[in-house]
Amino acid sequence: LAKNDEEAYEMAVRHDEMETFEQGIGEGGTREQHTTIAKYYEQRNLISSAAKHYALAEENGMALKLYLKVGEKEIDRAIEVVGKARSDALTHTLIDYLMGESDNVPKDPNYVYRLHKALGNYMQAANTALIIAKQEQEMGNYKQAHTLLFRTYQDLKRQKMALPQELWRRLMVLHSYIIVKRLVKAGDHANAARMLLRVARNIQQFPAHIVPILTSVVIECQRAKM
């Protein structure tokens, strides 16, 4: 640390004003400064703050270790660290954590999806999104499944990558289901019936609402005189 910075740091320690010192250097401080701040927070068991500064000091192993020590509320920051580090060792450490290898508690699969995106592994992210979407559909959460698959579609399109056929088919069926209400409200019963017929041909994707969907198919087909 330069002499003035060192004096400022020591004053911050004496008066317990480390946040003020942080504001003074911002994220543009030196690696040494951020490491020093990280150790200060670590000694006081302020783990999230310590991890943040280890990450700014590019000590990614320590940053990841501390973020995982905090637990699930810091997983997004852990993913950010691993995404920037592009280290196989750190990636495997985080995946093991997400899979529940360390505590026998598998985490939300959405975190695996975000990790693959952070690493630029868009095809693996797409495969994970498909698994999550299936789970959401089984629980009747069709809008959430549609949103996830549509976001994945946009990601792959931006990367000029081919969309897996299964993902595309599932997205189209979900989209058909989602727009039915809008079509019915607009009085477009012919297209509403067509969308519902597509959904009915894939009714196994909607296990929680089989009877209501098939009932709607009959009603809209009658309205459309089909």
Side-chain angles (χ1 to χ4, degrees):
L1 293 170
K3 188 179 181 199
N4 288 344
D5 285 339
E6 189 172 347
E7 289 174 357
Y9 172 78
E10 289 173 357
M11 187 175 294
V13 171
R14 277 199 308 274
H15 297 285
D16 196 21
E17 289 288 343
M18 192 54 64
E19 287 186 13
T20 303
F21 180 72
E22 283 185 72
Q23 292 168 7
I25 64 169
E27 293 191 358
T30 66
R31 291 180 65 177
E32 185 180 2
Q33 285 174 323
H34 287 298
T35 300
T36 302
I37 296 170
K39 288 177 179 177
Y40 167 88
Y41 283 128
E42 192 176 6
Q43 288 167 0
R44 285 155 181 78
N45 206 35
L46 297 168
I47 306 301
S48 292
S49 296
K52 171 188 171 183
H53 285 280
Y54 277 126
L56 289 169
E58 297 181 9
E59 293 193 32
N60 297 309
M62 279 298 298
L64 178 61
K65 177 183 175 182
L66 294 182
Y67 278 138
L68 296 185
K69 186 177 180 180
V70 173
E72 203 155 345
K73 71 176 185 178
E74 291 290 13
I75 290 181
D76 283 330
R77 291 185 180 273
I79 289 171
E80 186 180 336
V81 167
V82 173
K84 288 179 180 177
R86 300 297 172 99
S87 157
D88 287 345
L90 296 185
T91 299
H92 289 312
T93 296
L94 181 52
I95 288 176
D96 284 348
Y97 175 83
L98 295 176
M99 294 294 106
E101 295 292 332
S102 56
D103 57 6
N104 294 316
V105 181
K107 308 306 180 292
D108 186 336
N110 277 287
Y111 290 126
V112 178
Y113 168 73
R114 290 178 209 167
L115 174 59
H116 284 311
K117 281 187 66 174
L119 292 167
N121 297 334
Y122 291 98
M123 198 53 69
Q124 290 95 322
N127 291 333
T128 304
L130 190 54
I131 293 168
I132 296 168
K134 287 178 181 178
Q135 293 173 345
E136 292 288 3
Q137 282 188 258
E138 286 171 5
M139 295 184 289
N141 300 327
Y142 308 125
K143 285 187 178 180
Q144 290 91 327
H146 177 269
T147 298
L148 176 60
L149 293 183
F150 184 66
R151 190 165 65 233
T152 303
Y153 159 78
Q154 290 177 311
D155 289 337
L156 292 174
K157 188 175 180 182
R158 276 193 294 268
Q159 299 300 318
K160 295 181 171 57
M161 298 176 72
L163 192 71
Q165 282 299 308
E166 187 181 357
L167 194 151
W168 173 253
R169 286 194 296 269
R170 190 169 288 268
L171 176 58
M172 286 302 95
V173 173
L174 279 166
H175 189 67
S176 299
Y177 176 84
I178 295 295
I179 66 172
V180 164
K181 282 187 179 179
R182 194 185 316 156
L183 293 170
V184 171
K185 191 174 181 180
D188 188 352
H189 299 293
N191 277 321
R194 290 189 187 96
M195 295 300 103
L196 281 168
L197 285 169
R198 178 186 289 169
V199 171
R201 286 194 291 272
N202 297 273
I203 197 65
Q204 72 280 2
Q205 294 185 26
F206 302 85
H209 294 85
I210 291 175
V211 173
I213 288 172
L214 294 180
T215 301
S216 296
V217 171
V218 173
I219 293 170
E220 286 306 308
C221 284
Q222 288 175 341
R223 286 174 173 172
K225 297 181 171 54
M226 290 174 68

